[in-house]
Amino acid sequence: MAAGTRGEDGARRPDEACGAEDDTEELPSVVVSPPRPETGGPAPAPVPTEGPARPQDVAVAGIALVNDLLDTAERTAARGAPGPIAPPPAPVPAPPPVPAPARTAPPPTEPRPEPHPQPHRAEGRVPSRRIPSADPDLVERRGRSFSGWAAALLAVLALAGCAALLWWHALIPERAVRAAGLPLAPDHGPMRLWEWALVACGGVVALLALGGITRGRAGSAWVLSLFGRYRGSVRRTGLVWINPMVLRRRVDVRLRHWRSEPMPAVDAAGVQLRVVVLVVWRVKDTARALLAVNDHEAYLREQVEAAMARVLSQLPADAFHEDTPTLRDAEAVGDALTKTLSADCRPVGIEVFSAQPTRIEYAPEVAAAMRRSQLAALDAKHRDTVLTSVIDAVDETIHRLTSRGLVELDDYERRALVRDLTIAFYTSRGSAPAET
């Protein structure tokens, strides 16, 4: 009999291809092994049967298989894993599509105006900006120079050697020889070529030695350049020899000061001012001062005006009704102006020691109005001071009268006494300056 197939429940059922046969026919030996569960655990051990399979054995094996499947399903449900695969549900027919409502455009809204950014201005601080950079290769270095006295001695020796050679060959006129007090030399024949070369070399040496002699002065320096290239600076004093082939330009390195004319400016409130500035400076790097800028003195004057405009625009000239920093603080304004000007002039080799405003005044067109404002502020301050002193005097007077038991005052009498004392004290103190 052909082997039958097993269903999902593990029971044996006959194959459709087999005919109907006797149930008592001997069955082959089978090994029943339950399928591996989906959890991936080990499958239970198979149940071997020896000999011909009996109906009782098949039933026992089926019951064991069902128990194992139930245990596996319980363990899977306890761990939250999916159990046996259930048959797919019957498809549910989809509801008919509902037409979507037509979209209506939202009402137009007016664009909200963006706020204008307000300029940020720091109190008493110069805003950061880009400072001009200097050429790193253009730095002052020592130029070649020698003692002028040694050059003069070399020139004398070269001329003396040339004259002696010419006198030896009797090439110097007789009158010049007698004027020099020298004896007439015998004729030694014409000069050879190498002797003429010596005379020419001696003349060139004397010419170069005398042409390079110059005078170095204290407080000045020579800036040397050859074919447009910087060749160094010479700060030696006295008689100095410098190569006559190079171009020499003198630069003043002394400590100098410059007092400006009244320059226009504005303060933080936009009030026009006239400012006079005193600058103390000197040239620190001669190479940059002469070669990095067209005119370092004109550059300094322009930078003083620009730095003054930047610094003075950070603070008001006067604060009549509030206690804030003003341009009347000459030390703070001078420090800020010196720091700004030093940073601007450093790339051109100028060292600024001090830049102080010596006079800050209002422009003529606004001087009268600002004077009236200043007098009004001073008058208001004076009145406030007088009123404060009067109130203190009245309070002290009433306190002494009542504390010593001289008078007993009710509320009405106290108010009347305060009024009378205030009028009397204020009148006497307000009229005192006019009487004097």
Side-chain angles (χ1 to χ4, degrees):
M1 180 177 180
T5 59
R6 296 182 180 271
E8 295 181 355
D9 54 356
R12 176 183 174 87
R13 64 184 180 181
D15 196 348
E16 295 180 357
C18 300
E21 297 182 358
D22 188 7
D23 294 335
T24 60
E25 186 179 358
E26 295 183 359
L27 299 176
S29 61
V30 295
V31 178
V32 181
S33 59
R36 183 181 299 273
E38 297 180 358
T39 56
V47 181
T49 59
E50 298 179 358
R54 295 178 300 175
Q56 296 85 355
D57 297 337
V58 174
V60 171
I63 294 173
L65 179 59
V66 171
N67 292 333
D68 292 337
L69 290 177
L70 293 176
D71 295 340
T72 303
E74 291 176 358
R75 289 195 299 269
T76 303
R79 289 197 300 266
I85 300 176
V92 180
V98 180
R103 295 185 178 180
T104 58
T109 57
E110 297 182 358
R112 181 179 298 177
E114 297 182 358
H116 297 283
Q118 299 294 333
H120 175 71
R121 178 176 57 83
E123 294 291 336
R125 181 177 62 86
V126 178
S128 59
R129 60 186 182 84
R130 183 179 180 183
I131 299 177
S133 59
D135 187 2
D137 297 333
L138 188 60
V139 181
E140 179 181 348
R141 60 178 182 271
R142 185 176 181 181
R144 292 184 179 182
S145 62
F146 302 95
S147 174
W149 297 107
L153 180 60
L154 180 61
V156 170
L157 293 178
L159 292 177
C162 294
L165 189 58
L166 294 176
W167 173 81
W168 179 259
H169 289 278
L171 296 178
I172 300 178
E174 182 178 352
R175 183 179 299 179
V177 173
R178 291 180 178 178
L182 298 176
L184 296 175
D187 189 6
H188 292 86
M191 292 181 60
R192 299 177 180 86
L193 183 60
W194 62 271
E195 292 177 337
W196 283 111
L198 287 178
V199 171
C201 291
V204 171
V205 170
L207 183 62
L208 292 177
L210 295 177
I213 295 178
T214 184
R215 182 171 60 92
R217 295 183 299 181
S220 64
W222 291 104
V223 179
L224 312 180
S225 60
L226 180 63
F227 301 113
R229 184 179 179 184
Y230 175 64
R231 305 298 296 179
S233 300
V234 177
R235 292 178 178 256
R236 297 180 60 173
T237 58
L239 199 62
V240 184
W241 182 87
I242 301 174
N243 186 1
M245 302 298 295
V246 300
L247 178 62
R248 293 173 287 181
R249 285 179 286 184
R250 190 184 295 273
V251 179
D252 193 347
V253 295
R254 294 175 296 180
L255 188 65
R256 305 165 65 181
H257 70 278
W258 175 68
R259 184 185 180 90
S260 69
E261 298 294 332
M263 295 182 293
V266 293
D267 64 352
V271 180
Q272 299 182 9
L273 306 173
R274 293 293 183 270
V275 185
V276 178
V277 181
L278 178 64
V279 183
V280 180
W281 63 284
R282 73 175 179 182
V283 174
K284 184 178 181 180
D285 194 317
T286 57
R288 292 182 176 180
L290 195 61
L291 302 178
V293 68
N294 186 23
D295 186 355
H296 62 276
E297 295 184 5
Y299 178 85
L300 175 63
R301 290 192 294 268
E302 298 295 336
Q303 290 298 325
V304 167
E305 186 173 359
M308 181 196 64
R310 290 195 301 271
V311 173
L312 267 62
S313 63
Q314 306 301 315
L315 296 173
D318 290 295
F320 300 125
H321 303 287
E322 55 185 5
D323 187 10
T324 59
T326 63
L327 297 178
R328 302 306 176 183
D329 189 356
E331 184 176 359
V333 175
D335 292 344
L337 186 59
T338 302
K339 185 181 299 184
T340 304
L341 190 60
S342 300
D344 292 339
C345 295
R346 191 177 298 112
V348 297
I350 296 178
E351 184 178 8
V352 178
F353 293 95
S354 174
Q356 296 291 333
T358 59
R359 187 174 63 188
I360 300 178
E361 59 186 12
Y362 293 104
E365 53 269 20
V366 299
M370 300 307 297
R371 179 65 178 173
R372 289 193 296 269
S373 300
Q374 186 176 11
L375 291 177
L378 292 176
D379 184 58
K381 187 176 182 180
H382 173 69
R383 290 182 180 180
D384 182 69
T385 303
V386 171
L387 183 59
T388 302
S389 62
V390 167
I391 292 175
D392 293 341
V394 171
D395 180 68
E396 185 179 358
T397 302
I398 295 178
H399 178 70
R400 287 184 177 182
L401 290 174
T402 56
S403 62
R404 295 180 182 181
L406 299 179
V407 293
E408 293 182 359
L409 303 174
D410 55 7
D411 293 341
Y412 177 78
E413 293 174 346
R414 181 184 295 274
R415 284 195 295 269
L417 181 60
V418 168
R419 182 181 65 253
D420 296 340
L421 290 177
T422 302
I423 295 174
F425 289 163
Y426 193 84
T427 303
S428 61
R429 299 196 180 191
S431 60
E435 295 176 357
T436 60

